[in-house]
Amino acid sequence: MKEISGRKQGGMSPCAACKLLRRRCAQDCVFAPYFPADEPHKFASVHKVFGASNVNKMLQELPEHQRSDAVSSMVYEANARVRDPVYGCVGAISSLQQQIDVLQTQLAIAQAEVVHMKMNQLPSASPPAATSENTSPISVKQIMPNNNNSHHHYHPHQTTKSFFTMDMVVDQANSLWSC
């Protein structure tokens, strides 16, 4: 027997939608190409959230080349709504955004620690005499050209100490704290 849309001609096996709805699956069934009999869970969740009538209307209003993507979206949203009836996809997106924020914070802290470690690896030279010729600071950008924070300066007469994952610089000459 010849296969049409995953259904046998003659003794047609109903698609998952028609099987769940307990109706005869017609040759031109709008559900059959998207809800095959071997994936009944797809239509079950979509039916539970959207209803068969609404899914039928949505599919018939769309051009055929967009229906597959629409069904994928409906299945994803329906599964998200089954897991989280209040927020659905928005809850999943929000959770992922929070994870991104946490990971970006962790990355920034790790990058700051790398800068701190590189600064501590600079060769220790004896502090220069306080003369008018030796007052220009060496910038972090000169020491580490890939760093975009050119407003931070390294002063040879200062020591760097870590305080709550922020690099603090103690000006030993003036006893001032600066970031």
Side-chain angles (χ1 to χ4, degrees):
M1 291 189 177
K2 188 178 176 186
E3 292 263 338
I4 300 177
S5 304
R7 299 178 298 161
K8 294 180 183 175
Q9 193 175 15
M12 288 190 189
S13 171
C15 67
C18 292
K19 191 171 185 177
L20 184 77
L21 298 172
R22 296 184 179 163
R23 65 181 193 189
R24 188 177 72 76
C25 191
Q27 183 80 19
D28 61 343
C29 176
V30 72
F31 298 121
Y34 313 106
F35 300 104
D38 61 342
E39 296 180 24
H41 61 280
K42 281 175 63 174
F43 185 75
S45 60
V46 168
H47 177 259
K48 184 176 181 178
V49 173
F50 297 105
S53 178
N54 289 331
V55 173
N56 185 20
K57 287 177 193 174
M58 284 188 270
L59 290 177
Q60 288 188 358
E61 289 176 3
L62 289 172
E64 282 192 41
H65 71 277
Q66 293 180 341
R67 290 179 182 176
S68 179
D69 290 336
V71 168
S72 294
S73 294
M74 283 188 271
V75 169
Y76 186 84
E77 175 65 28
N79 288 333
R81 286 278 170 191
V82 167
R83 284 190 306 273
D84 184 353
V86 175
Y87 295 108
C89 285
V90 174
I93 291 168
S94 176
S95 174
L96 291 171
Q97 185 60 48
Q98 288 174 353
Q99 289 177 18
I100 289 170
D101 292 343
V102 167
L103 292 172
Q104 284 177 335
T105 301
Q106 290 174 352
L107 177 62
I109 290 169
Q111 289 172 332
E113 288 175 359
V114 167
V115 169
H116 179 74
M117 284 191 269
K118 286 183 179 181
M119 294 295 289
N120 284 339
Q121 290 177 355
L122 290 176
S124 298
S126 59
T131 63
S132 59
E133 302 96 36
N134 275 336
T135 57
S136 65
I138 300 171
S139 72
V140 172
K141 192 168 189 173
Q142 290 170 327
I143 296 168
M144 298 169 31
N146 293 335
N147 190 330
N148 293 330
N149 298 329
S150 60
H151 62 277
H152 293 286
H153 299 286
Y154 172 73
H155 297 281
H157 63 281
Q158 296 176 343
T159 58
T160 304
K161 295 186 180 181
S162 184
F163 182 74
F164 294 114
T165 68
M166 291 182 59
D167 290 334
M168 304 297 281
V169 178
V170 181
D171 187 340
Q172 292 173 342
N174 298 327
S175 298
L176 297 175
W177 288 85
S178 63
C179 293

